mmCIF file of all heavy atoms in Angstrom:
data_model
loop_
_atom_site.group_PDB
_atom_site.id
_atom_site.type_symbol
_atom_site.label_atom_id
_atom_site.label_comp_id
_atom_site.label_asym_id
_atom_site.label_seq_id
_atom_site.Cartn_x
_atom_site.Cartn_y
_atom_site.Cartn_z
ATOM 1 N N PRO A 157 7.615 15.013 0.643
ATOM 2 C CA PRO A 157 7.906 16.444 0.773
ATOM 3 C C PRO A 157 7.808 17.155 -0.575
ATOM 4 O O PRO A 157 8.057 16.558 -1.627
ATOM 5 C CB PRO A 157 9.352 16.453 1.293
ATOM 6 C CG PRO A 157 9.931 15.154 0.830
ATOM 7 C CD PRO A 157 8.797 14.174 0.863
ATOM 8 N N ASP A 158 7.419 18.426 -0.528
ATOM 9 C CA ASP A 158 7.422 19.230 -1.748
ATOM 10 C C ASP A 158 8.855 19.472 -2.191
ATOM 11 O O ASP A 158 9.781 19.538 -1.371
ATOM 12 C CB ASP A 158 6.733 20.579 -1.502
ATOM 13 C CG ASP A 158 5.234 20.442 -1.362
ATOM 14 O OD1 ASP A 158 4.685 19.466 -1.916
ATOM 15 O OD2 ASP A 158 4.614 21.285 -0.704
ATOM 16 N N ILE A 159 9.036 19.594 -3.497
ATOM 17 C CA ILE A 159 10.372 19.874 -4.023
ATOM 18 C C ILE A 159 10.402 21.307 -4.554
ATOM 19 O O ILE A 159 9.361 21.886 -4.884
ATOM 20 C CB ILE A 159 10.775 18.868 -5.124
ATOM 21 C CG1 ILE A 159 9.771 18.899 -6.289
ATOM 22 C CG2 ILE A 159 10.857 17.470 -4.542
ATOM 23 C CD1 ILE A 159 10.179 18.000 -7.453
ATOM 24 N N LEU A 160 11.592 21.869 -4.634
ATOM 25 C CA LEU A 160 11.758 23.258 -5.052
ATOM 26 C C LEU A 160 12.217 23.377 -6.496
ATOM 27 O O LEU A 160 12.582 24.455 -6.962
ATOM 28 C CB LEU A 160 12.752 23.961 -4.122
ATOM 29 C CG LEU A 160 12.354 23.977 -2.639
ATOM 30 C CD1 LEU A 160 13.444 24.642 -1.820
ATOM 31 C CD2 LEU A 160 11.021 24.682 -2.449
ATOM 32 N N THR A 161 12.214 22.248 -7.202
ATOM 33 C CA THR A 161 12.569 22.228 -8.618
ATOM 34 C C THR A 161 11.462 21.504 -9.375
ATOM 35 O O THR A 161 10.575 20.910 -8.774
ATOM 36 C CB THR A 161 13.903 21.499 -8.837
ATOM 37 O OG1 THR A 161 13.812 20.171 -8.275
ATOM 38 C CG2 THR A 161 15.054 22.237 -8.172
ATOM 39 N N ASP A 162 11.513 21.539 -10.699
ATOM 40 C CA ASP A 162 10.485 20.865 -11.492
ATOM 41 C C ASP A 162 10.518 19.355 -11.286
ATOM 42 O O ASP A 162 9.476 18.701 -11.257
ATOM 43 C CB ASP A 162 10.686 21.159 -12.979
ATOM 44 C CG ASP A 162 10.475 22.634 -13.305
ATOM 45 O OD1 ASP A 162 9.717 23.291 -12.564
ATOM 46 O OD2 ASP A 162 11.066 23.118 -14.289
ATOM 47 N N PHE A 163 11.704 18.814 -11.149
ATOM 48 C CA PHE A 163 11.894 17.376 -10.937
ATOM 49 C C PHE A 163 13.266 17.160 -10.334
ATOM 50 O O PHE A 163 14.076 18.091 -10.242
ATOM 51 C CB PHE A 163 11.739 16.597 -12.253
ATOM 52 C CG PHE A 163 12.511 17.171 -13.411
ATOM 53 C CD1 PHE A 163 13.854 16.867 -13.593
ATOM 54 C CD2 PHE A 163 11.896 18.024 -14.317
ATOM 55 C CE1 PHE A 163 14.577 17.402 -14.644
ATOM 56 C CE2 PHE A 163 12.608 18.573 -15.378
ATOM 57 C CZ PHE A 163 13.946 18.259 -15.550
ATOM 58 N N ILE A 164 13.533 15.923 -9.904
ATOM 59 C CA ILE A 164 14.800 15.595 -9.253
ATOM 60 C C ILE A 164 15.593 14.658 -10.156
ATOM 61 O O ILE A 164 15.090 13.608 -10.575
ATOM 62 C CB ILE A 164 14.560 14.923 -7.888
ATOM 63 C CG1 ILE A 164 13.849 15.901 -6.945
ATOM 64 C CG2 ILE A 164 15.873 14.444 -7.279
ATOM 65 C CD1 ILE A 164 13.453 15.296 -5.610
ATOM 66 N N THR A 165 16.794 15.037 -10.443
ATOM 67 C CA THR A 165 17.679 14.200 -11.247
ATOM 68 C C THR A 165 18.566 13.373 -10.329
ATOM 69 O O THR A 165 19.310 13.933 -9.517
ATOM 70 C CB THR A 165 18.566 15.069 -12.155
ATOM 71 O OG1 THR A 165 17.750 15.942 -12.941
ATOM 72 C CG2 THR A 165 19.413 14.196 -13.072
ATOM 73 N N PRO A 166 18.498 12.055 -10.402
ATOM 74 C CA PRO A 166 19.330 11.215 -9.530
ATOM 75 C C PRO A 166 20.815 11.388 -9.824
ATOM 76 O O PRO A 166 21.185 11.706 -10.959
ATOM 77 C CB PRO A 166 18.884 9.790 -9.870
ATOM 78 C CG PRO A 166 17.569 9.942 -10.562
ATOM 79 C CD PRO A 166 17.631 11.262 -11.269
ATOM 80 N N PRO A 167 21.654 11.193 -8.817
ATOM 81 C CA PRO A 167 23.103 11.262 -9.047
ATOM 82 C C PRO A 167 23.534 10.245 -10.103
ATOM 83 O O PRO A 167 23.027 9.120 -10.154
ATOM 84 C CB PRO A 167 23.689 10.907 -7.674
ATOM 85 C CG PRO A 167 22.599 11.196 -6.700
ATOM 86 C CD PRO A 167 21.315 10.910 -7.417
ATOM 87 N N GLY A 168 24.445 10.651 -10.950
ATOM 88 C CA GLY A 168 24.973 9.730 -11.956
ATOM 89 C C GLY A 168 24.216 9.722 -13.264
ATOM 90 O O GLY A 168 24.642 9.086 -14.237
ATOM 91 N N VAL A 169 23.052 10.388 -13.311
ATOM 92 C CA VAL A 169 22.291 10.454 -14.553
ATOM 93 C C VAL A 169 22.850 11.575 -15.413
ATOM 94 O O VAL A 169 22.969 12.722 -14.971
ATOM 95 C CB VAL A 169 20.789 10.686 -14.278
ATOM 96 C CG1 VAL A 169 20.031 10.912 -15.590
ATOM 97 C CG2 VAL A 169 20.206 9.503 -13.533
ATOM 98 N N GLY A 170 23.182 11.255 -16.643
ATOM 99 C CA GLY A 170 23.801 12.235 -17.520
ATOM 100 C C GLY A 170 22.851 13.333 -17.954
ATOM 101 O O GLY A 170 21.640 13.144 -18.021
#
Side-chain angles (χ1 to χ4, degrees):
D158 288 334
I159 59 176
L160 301 177
T161 56
D162 295 333
F163 48 84
I164 296 175
T165 306
V169 174

